[in-house]
Every structure is written in structure tokens, then in C-alpha cells.
Amino acid sequence: MGPVLLLLFISTVCYLFWLQRKQDERARLLAKQLCQQQELQMLDCGRNGHSFRKINGRLRFTTLYQVDFSADGESRYPAELVLSGMRLAAFNLPAHRI
């Protein structure tokens, strides 16, 4: 029974790692698309943590990403991208100089 549980644990850890990498790639793609729609230059996108948030009245497990962008090529502004699973939950873009 011990080796079976160990194999199950290792498989679960590998699967969760694979899902997190897939979600990171999705966040980077969404950030790039959202910045292009707003005519901004995306500089960086990185995971900022996990939290529980209410989305459409339901408590969801979300992943937070910090997206750094530039509007004029000289300044750097942080935005927040929130994913619930693989779906975009929110994109909070701060006021910036155009």
C-alpha cells in the first residue's frame, strides 16, 4: 500500500505543477492580448499569489498576476490580472499617462 500512495502523491504533485504552468502561459497570453487592445506595451507578467475571491456571488479560488506595462515607452505601471481556473476574472488597469 505504501508504494501506491507514494506514486499517487508524486503523480498529483506533477499534475498540479503542469496545471500551474498551463495557467501561467494562459495568463501571459491574455495579458498580451489585453495590452494590445488598450494599445499598451506589455513589459512583464508574473504570478503574484493565490486567494479566494467572490466572483459573480460565488467564492472562487483565484490566481493573481502582476502585469507591468508601458504606455509611452519610458514609464512602467503595474496592473493586476485575476484568473479563476483558466478564465479571466478581472483585469485591473490603473490610471496611466498616455
Side-chain angles (χ1 to χ4, degrees):
M1 191 68 153
V4 173
L5 288 177
L6 180 64
L7 183 61
L8 182 63
F9 176 75
I10 291 172
S11 298
T12 303
V13 168
C14 290
Y15 179 70
L16 291 174
F17 177 78
W18 176 74
L19 278 179
Q20 187 64 64
R21 295 299 308 147
K22 192 172 179 180
Q23 189 178 42
D24 290 347
E25 291 172 8
R26 174 82 173 143
R28 188 167 284 117
L29 178 69
L30 282 172
K32 187 175 180 180
Q33 289 175 352
L34 291 167
C35 284
Q36 285 177 349
Q37 287 175 0
Q38 299 292 324
E39 296 180 2
L40 301 170
Q41 178 185 6
M42 187 184 90
L43 302 174
D44 194 17
C45 180
R47 189 174 343 116
N48 203 19
H50 301 280
S51 70
F52 287 98
R53 288 191 179 187
K54 274 198 168 193
I55 300 172
N56 296 331
R58 301 177 88 183
L59 193 61
R60 301 281 185 180
F61 183 72
T62 59
T63 306
L64 311 172
Y65 292 89
Q66 180 175 338
V67 179
D68 292 338
F69 67 93
S70 177
D72 58 6
E74 293 180 10
S75 55
R76 185 179 192 100
Y77 299 97
E80 183 182 59
L81 178 78
V82 181
L83 288 183
S84 176
M86 293 293 173
R87 293 184 179 194
L88 178 66
F91 184 59
N92 302 320
L93 194 64
H96 58 277
R97 182 179 295 217
I98 298 177

